[in-house]
């Protein structure tokens, strides 16, 4: 027998309410973790991305950029970028210390070690989609082919052509697809193309990363502009860190290398998303010498110090952007360690906290769980004395003298942890060793991104 | 205007279908990750738990167990357990190397170091719910109070009463609640109470852990029975590892300690859930000497070797059970490293793989992502040569000679990864160093459990 009008109406109403409830619960769940399917959809931009979008970067005289769609792995996006560097450009580099480094990294290191003729032009070629890592002898062949083709096209020595590859590991690099596009790339070279280049090297990154500085030199301005990619501290198949910084400073390669090396430790070597080190990390710094400012010859000069500070600021900015785009990150966390026996101990403690899954999940849960910080200090292997330990969340004194501070209120800690940017400060009360590192939280989304089957 | 009968009926039908769909999706999601609320509900038993439930453990002559509800933190469950050990029991121990060790750990270590009168009785008292860690000088006071009260009640020297605490950090231990129950505990002492004791020390554990061995000695059987708790390798406030093993072997404390120490490295020190080391890890081994078998005096004797093997089997079994109850675990993973330059390098590589969030999330996703294993080898700091590396999943040869094996088919790897128990074997092809460690995968549930606000 058919139901009455009223009954159907009532049931439909009840069901509508039920649908609404279920959808709300589904939305809540999606916000918490997301599904495998969602992880495959284009990643939403990180909530920690710089608010203003990609910054306006100055043109660096002597540097041109181009990017093309070569279909290395991805379709319908630019995946190869070329940088042409004018004759006289000095080049410095810093690379992963992994013992299973990719062929292109080994190649860059060999080229930077050799005696280099700085007077010729140079180039950097980068592809995303394939890391050319763990590809046996074929890996070096691919690097030789690609850098040789760029050298021929630009009329520069192959020893001055540097390459990076980021993407899937263990697959031969389809270098023919890249070589086929070199004509198109050289035709498109443009001094204003740096943002396009920053986009072409992205993999799981959710925003392109750029930073700049301008320094008053002796007789003119020195400009620095850099780009980076990176999202997991590493997985060889998705998120290795690549950084390219350009400047018009007049400075010889050995001095440039010295400045780079001394700044890398406290910038790019002081960040961690997941403690996993890449097979492919590479940072290349190129100085074209085309600024009107006088050459930097004495590293103790005022100009050298200003340039050093500018370079450091650009490196720090890019390093922080990598953390702000950390896989699944919802919190940007500064870990400040002071009072350690020495600098090495301070770094050990800072990294032990920054890499602790228990600390990182507590941060994701907005839990002021200082007990886990105590445990991370304890496991670090650094010299520590429970009774001299002080822990602060921002300005809030949480624990001191081996116990929770008498003035600490859990509500204050809980309220602090709701912020997007956090500072966790630990003083060991032993010596003068200090170190600051940066990390992000460990969320469901990190697992969605990384537990997802490669597709 | 009212809708027609038919319209309402159609809408109700459509809505019913929608409700069904939404509920299915919700169920799927719950299976994948679970919600914060679900994490607060009693943890479902780990899918990796031993199938037969708690094993039948032999009674160890000279050992009695009792457990009571003291309300240290949890209500309506036994949370304090007492073990009485007969006069003449030899005791050995192994403890966390954390520099922020809990007061009870420091106390056990001090008592085991001192010159001990083995002829007297002894006791072990353990509470869950409060770790008595990072509690300043009050921590030692609590330990003194509790162990003193047990010593008085049982008529044994306080230097022979060992205690452990596991639970929240930084809160003073409410030792009065424990002391108030010591009469009840001593009255309930029972040689058959070991399972109850195993349950009383659980925190986030999803099943109680027990293991046994029987060894034929000279003139009689030697029995070994052990219990453990542990679920996260550590968080001081939830899942530190505690292990108690009992035997009726006649063996002096120094020899017992020697056997314990040489077995701990390849059992409990070879497991990791999340790389986080506890402030509270403790393993106590007690030998009552009440077996009819002849005393073990020469560690090279056949009986000593059999006892050593039995002890090792019990320790290994309990260690594996801790991994099988790893927070959020769905896979039990053996990492076998061979061919390293030395044993230390082999351990470095094995732990680097076992602790890599990228390897662990890939395993959770059933992804045969050997590229991440290459990266974990590379970052370990151990001597490695890309072109000598061999990787196997079970019997499947995945990669060799610096590249993916020509015979490897991704379908085979993917099918292997669906198993619950996995073996990942890495040969470095350099030397004779070998090491096996055990770990579990990193899942949404780990984050649910650990990102949840302490309640």
């Amino acid at each position: 027998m058919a139901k009455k009008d009223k009954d159907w109406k009532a049931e439909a109403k009840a069901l509508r309410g039920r649908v609404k409830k279920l959808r709300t619960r589904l939305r809540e769940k999606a916000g918490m973790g997301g599904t495998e399917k969602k992880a495959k959809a284009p990643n939403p931009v990180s909530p920690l991305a710089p608010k203003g979008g990609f910054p306006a970067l100055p043109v660096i005289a002597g540097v041109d950029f181009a990017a093309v769609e070569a279909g290395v792995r991805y379709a319908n996006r630019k995946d190869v970028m070329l940088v042409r560097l004018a004759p006289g450009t000095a080049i410095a580099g810093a690379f992963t210390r992994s013992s299973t480094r990719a062929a292109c990294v080994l190649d860059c290191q060999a080229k930077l070690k050799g005696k280099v003729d700085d007077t010729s032009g140079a180039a950097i070629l980068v592809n995303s989609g394939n890391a050319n890592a763990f590809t046996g002898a074929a890996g070096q062949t691919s690097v030789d082919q690609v850098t040789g083709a760029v050298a021929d096209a630009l009329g520069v020595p192959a020893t001055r052509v540097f390459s990076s590859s980021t993407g899937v590991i263990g697959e031969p690099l389809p270098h023919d697809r890249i070589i086929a596009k070199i004509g198109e790339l050289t035709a498109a070279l443009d001094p204003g193309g740096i943002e396009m280049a920053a986009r072409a090297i992205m993999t799981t990154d959710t925003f392109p990363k750029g930073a700049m500085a301008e320094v008053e030199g002796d007789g003119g301005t020195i400009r620095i502009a850099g780009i980076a990619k990176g999202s997991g501290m590493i997985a060889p198949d998705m998120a290795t860190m690549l950084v390219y910084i350009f400047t018009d400073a007049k400075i010889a390669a050995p001095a440039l290398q010295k400045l780079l090396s001394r700044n890398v430790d406290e910038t790019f070597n002081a960040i961690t998303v997941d403690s996993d080190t890449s097979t492919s990390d590479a940072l290349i710094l190129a100085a074209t010498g085309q600024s009107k400012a006088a050459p930097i010859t004495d590293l103790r000069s005022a100009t050298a110090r200003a340039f050093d500070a500018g370079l450091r600021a650009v490196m720090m900015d890019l390093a922080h952007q990598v953390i702000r785009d950390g896989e699944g990150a919802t919190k940007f966390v500064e870990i400040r360690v002071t009072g350690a026996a020495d600098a090495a101990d301070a770094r050990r403690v800072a990294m032990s906290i920054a890499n602790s899954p228990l600390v990182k999940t507590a941060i994701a849960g907005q839990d002021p769980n200082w007990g886990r910080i105590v445990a991370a200090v304890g496991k670090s292997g650094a010299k520590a004395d429970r009774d001299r330990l002080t822990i602060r969340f921002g300005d809030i004194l949480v624990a001191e003298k081996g116990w929770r501070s008498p003035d600490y209120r859990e509500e204050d800690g809980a309220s602090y942890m709701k912020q997007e940017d956090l500072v966790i400060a630990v003083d060991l009360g032993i010596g003068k060793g200090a170190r600051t590192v940066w990390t992000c939280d460990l969320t469901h989304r990190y697992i969605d991104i990384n537990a997802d089957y490669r597709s």
Side-chain angles (χ1 to χ4, degrees), chain A residues 135-171:
Chain A
T135 45
Q140 185 58 45
T141 306
S142 289
V143 172
D144 291 342
Q145 294 275 330
V146 169
T147 56
V150 170
D152 290 348
L154 296 182
V156 300
T159 50
R160 291 268 283 169
V161 180
F162 303 88
S163 74
S164 302
S165 294
T166 179
V168 181
I169 202 175
E171 303 275 346

Side-chain angles (χ1 to χ4, degrees), chain A residues 68-75 79-80 125 127-130 142 145-146 149 171-185:
Chain A
V68 296
E69 297 182 15
V72 172
R73 186 182 179 87
Y74 311 119
D79 59 353
V80 176
L125 184 90
N127 74 274
S128 52
N130 182 311
S142 289
Q145 294 275 330
V146 169
E171 303 275 346
L173 181 69
H175 54 253
D176 288 344
R177 292 186 207 162
I178 298 172
I179 291 168
K181 291 286 178 173
I182 287 177
E184 195 181 321
L185 275 167

Side-chain angles (χ1 to χ4, degrees), chain A residues 6 60 84 91 101-102 150 203 210 226 257 267 274 287 307 311 316 384 397 446 451:
Chain A
K6 215 175 58 182
I60 307 295
R84 179 174 60 193
I91 296 173
R101 297 194 269 291
V150 170
T203 51
Q257 183 66 51
T267 57
D274 51 16
F307 177 71
L311 176 64
M316 192 67 101
L397 178 63
Y446 180 86

Side-chain angles (χ1 to χ4, degrees), chain A residues 366-446:
Chain A
Q366 308 196 132
D367 175 4
N369 195 323
W370 56 274
R372 295 188 183 170
I373 295 167
V374 173
V377 172
K379 77 164 178 169
S380 69
K383 201 179 158 196
D385 177 345
R386 188 193 64 187
D387 295 339
R388 294 186 188 195
L389 202 55
T390 306
I391 299 173
R392 282 188 174 79
F393 293 150
D395 294 329
I396 305 168
L397 178 63
V398 177
E400 60 178 341
K401 295 175 193 152
W403 210 351
R404 190 181 48 199
S405 158
D407 297 332
Y408 174 65
R409 297 182 320 146
E410 184 82 354
E411 311 89 84
D412 296 340
S415 151
Y416 180 76
M417 296 302 283
K418 292 197 198 310
Q419 296 182 30
E420 220 169 61
D421 286 17
L422 301 171
V423 176
I424 296 175
V426 172
D427 190 281
L428 297 173
I430 288 176
K432 298 196 174 223
R435 184 71 194 233
T436 300
V437 306
W438 293 269
T439 189
C440 56
D441 52 345
L442 172 57
T443 66
H444 282 288
R445 189 149 181 82
Y446 180 86

